[in-house]
Amino acid sequence: MDEAVHIINAIKSGTIAPIYFLMGEEPYYIDIITDYIEDHLLTEDEKGFNQMVLYGRDTTIEDVIAQAKRYPMMAERQVVIVKEAQELARTIEKLESYAENPQPTTVLVLAYKYKTLDKRKKVTKTLEKNGLVFESKKLYENQVATWITRVIKGKGLGIEPKAAAMLVEFLGNDLSRISNELDKLKIIFPPGHAVTPHDIEVNIGFSKDYNNFELRTAIGERNEKKAYRIAQYFAQNSKDNPLVVTTAMVFSYFTQVLQYHGLKDKSQANVAKVLRVSPFFVKDYELAARHYPMKKVSAIVAKLREVDAKGKGVGANSISHADLLKELLVTIFN
């Protein structure tokens, strides 16, 4: 995020590279930089003759280079943007010849999503030397809640940790989708409002009471009644609550509880750092560790592997996912 902001700020200040090669698994930042250049580098009057948007599936590297070598008309520069440039992966090394001597009056942008160039190859080194290469890396899910807090702060809002955790649970690490939901919240709420779990439920459509986050909390608190109530809800809404997602979440949770047991330094700061969670949630792991000794956690993890395999049809074709979840809860609570 910081690097993308730095690139945009540099453009704002007039430091503009002749080539922007934007690559990586996370399309969100690639789109942000590409859109900024498309919207702001030229005036509306200049765009008509001097801005060209190409698509990887509909063009060739030779065509891209030909367009980049043109001179601007009645403007200081021209902009050539290649969206979905990963479609040119097989011939992308042909870009090297242009990158060795890029046209100084052209800004060439290649949005090379979901893939990366080999940094050892000459084409990559040449692009880095004479242009700008940006790699947009996918965030791990345990990093997304912090990202949400930062982004929503930039929109003039706050968000409660549990509300951020709900967004991560339901949307994973799809930053574009999360950003769209945060934009909705910005429209709905006044500046300074702190988004709550209730706000998420009402305005985005996630149940604040019946979800994997609440199931995890119920398990950590050994609240059997609540856990079985959520399991029943999942059984009645199985399409929206697949077993494979639930087992993965519970498995990740108990793996973290196991890590917690093994820590010598159980201070809030160290636990948050090692488990990669918000300090707000450290108390949940302290409570879970009291309820589930290390030997019990090991047994639960083994059961989770078994339930996951059965849920995928290995040796349990006749057992419903609802029954498998109940079977898991019996093991956890007994």
Side-chain angles (χ1 to χ4, degrees):
M1 180 175 181
D2 291 337
E3 189 176 354
V5 172
H6 176 75
I7 291 170
I8 290 173
N9 286 339
I11 294 171
K12 288 179 180 178
S13 69
T15 304
I16 301 169
I19 304 174
Y20 290 88
F21 197 94
L22 313 173
M23 64 182 187
E25 292 296 322
E26 177 50 67
Y28 177 76
Y29 291 114
I30 294 175
D31 286 338
I32 281 183
I33 297 170
T34 302
D35 290 347
Y36 184 83
I37 292 173
E38 184 175 357
D39 294 340
H40 295 92
L41 215 56
L42 299 179
T43 66
E44 290 302 319
D45 291 339
E46 292 172 333
K47 288 178 183 178
F49 291 108
N50 298 291
Q51 185 155 288
M52 175 74 66
V53 178
L54 305 172
Y55 289 85
R57 68 173 67 89
D58 301 322
T59 191
T60 65
I61 286 293
E62 290 81 4
D63 289 340
V64 171
I65 292 173
Q67 291 292 340
K69 286 183 174 180
R70 289 174 57 244
Y71 289 96
M73 293 180 62
M74 297 175 290
E76 181 182 346
R77 62 173 65 88
Q78 69 158 347
V79 176
V80 178
I81 298 172
V82 186
K83 297 185 177 182
E84 308 299 336
Q86 68 275 9
E87 298 289 341
L88 300 170
R90 292 183 180 180
T91 56
I92 199 68
E93 290 190 28
K94 292 182 180 180
L95 188 63
E96 181 186 322
S97 61
Y98 177 79
E100 286 176 345
N101 187 29
Q103 182 79 350
T105 54
T106 293
V107 177
L108 175 60
V109 182
L110 295 106
Y112 196 82
K113 296 178 179 179
Y114 312 112
K115 294 184 178 183
T116 58
L117 293 180
D118 187 336
K119 294 182 179 179
R120 297 168 297 180
K121 290 191 173 182
K122 188 177 178 181
V123 62
T124 313
K125 293 177 180 178
T126 305
L127 286 165
E128 288 176 332
K129 179 182 177 182
N130 297 325
L132 185 148
V133 176
F134 167 70
E135 183 177 353
S136 184
K137 296 181 180 180
K138 205 80 173 173
L139 291 183
Y140 295 111
E141 285 200 7
N142 57 31
Q143 298 173 310
V144 179
T146 301
W147 179 87
I148 290 171
T149 302
R150 291 178 65 184
V151 170
I152 204 167
K153 183 179 180 181
K155 297 179 186 294
L157 299 174
I159 189 167
E160 294 182 5
K162 183 177 176 181
M166 286 175 64
L167 283 173
V168 176
E169 181 197 337
F170 287 102
L171 301 177
N173 58 354
D174 187 337
L175 302 189
S176 296
R177 191 176 171 197
I178 294 172
S179 180
N180 288 337
E181 298 298 343
L182 296 182
D183 285 339
K184 293 179 187 176
L185 296 175
K186 180 183 177 182
I187 295 170
I188 294 167
F189 296 109
H193 177 81
V195 177
T196 68
H198 178 73
D199 295 333
I200 298 295
E201 179 180 36
V202 172
N203 296 288
I204 300 181
F206 308 143
S207 171
K208 73 179 191 306
D209 297 316
Y210 298 99
N211 57 66
N212 283 316
F213 180 83
E214 287 301 321
L215 177 62
R216 189 189 75 172
T217 300
I219 289 171
E221 296 173 347
R222 288 196 67 88
N223 188 335
E224 297 184 39
K225 185 177 179 180
K226 180 179 179 180
Y228 281 110
R229 188 167 64 245
I230 294 171
Q232 182 63 33
Y233 177 86
F234 284 2
Q236 294 169 351
N237 300 271
S238 57
K239 190 174 181 180
D240 295 328
N241 301 279
L243 180 66
V244 64
V245 175
T246 299
T247 53
M249 183 279 300
V250 179
F251 180 85
S252 175
Y253 177 62
F254 276 107
T255 299
Q256 289 172 307
V257 175
L258 200 59
Q259 283 183 287
Y260 179 88
H261 275 299
L263 291 176
K264 291 182 178 179
D265 178 2
K266 289 185 169 63
S267 65
Q268 185 186 65
N270 189 58
V271 172
K273 179 181 177 181
V274 174
L275 301 190
R276 295 183 177 180
V277 298
S278 165
F280 178 84
F281 294 114
V282 167
K283 63 182 183 299
D284 296 342
Y285 291 93
E286 294 173 351
L287 181 62
R290 290 200 296 270
H291 287 153
Y292 302 99
M294 187 176 288
K295 186 176 180 180
K296 177 64 175 178
V297 174
S298 298
I300 291 170
V301 168
K303 184 63 177 180
L304 277 160
R305 295 184 188 276
E306 178 188 328
V307 169
D308 182 60
K310 288 180 178 179
K312 295 171 181 174
V314 180
N317 292 328
S318 61
I319 304 178
S320 71
H321 284 187
D323 287 339
L324 284 172
L325 181 54
K326 290 177 182 177
E327 181 181 318
L328 172 63
L329 293 178
V330 168
T331 299
I332 290 173
F333 291 128
N334 293 287

